[in-house]
Amino acid sequence: MTAELHSRRTVLTTGAAVAGAAVGAVALTACGSDSTPPGSTAAAPGETLTALSDIAVGQAKATKTADGKDVIVTRTAEGTAAAFSAICTHQGCAVVPEGAELKCPCHNSIFDAATGAVKKGPADQPLPSIAVKVTNGQVVTA
Ligand code: FES
């Protein structure tokens, strides 16, 4: 009986220690992450992403923001553009422009280059859009 109590106490103590370690790990993770959501492309307003003339009408181009975030810029018409995070909403790979579509090389999701909408999964959320305007032939964050 004593051995059984001792054993039970050991299990409870060990369990509490493991639980404490898990809480500590969660706290460290929370402290170590920044507050930017995955795929966020909060580019500063007024940042030039590319020249509009570098993209054919209806096509898209992969580029980066000044702070290194992957973005897609699509020339939606002669004088207009749209931009999106290039980070796939499935598991975070960078999508690649292919004609009027954006393809994810990891699990083959396909997005509409003009809208960022999902055309084929497994991704089930659109690419986050980035507000842009065309100023003096440059695609600039708005
Ligand atoms: S990460 Fe893009 S489809 Fe899985």
Side-chain angles (χ1 to χ4, degrees), residues 21-109:
V23 169
V26 169
L28 284 174
T29 300
C31 289
S33 66
D34 75 28
S35 58
T36 307
S40 173
T41 51
E47 182 180 325
T48 299
L49 296 177
T50 185
L52 188 63
S53 61
D54 284 353
I55 311 167
V57 175
Q59 305 288 298
K61 172 186 175 181
T63 187
K64 290 183 182 283
T65 61
D67 62 354
K69 291 180 179 144
D70 291 313
V71 297
I72 299 291
V73 180
T74 303
R75 187 170 184 177
T76 50
E78 189 62 34
T80 60
F84 308 93
S85 166
I87 305 305
C88 181
T89 55
H90 178 230
Q91 290 182 359
C93 295
V95 299
V96 178
E98 214 173 283
E101 297 178 333
L102 307 171
K103 294 193 174 180
C104 181
C106 291
H107 310 103
N108 303 315
S109 285

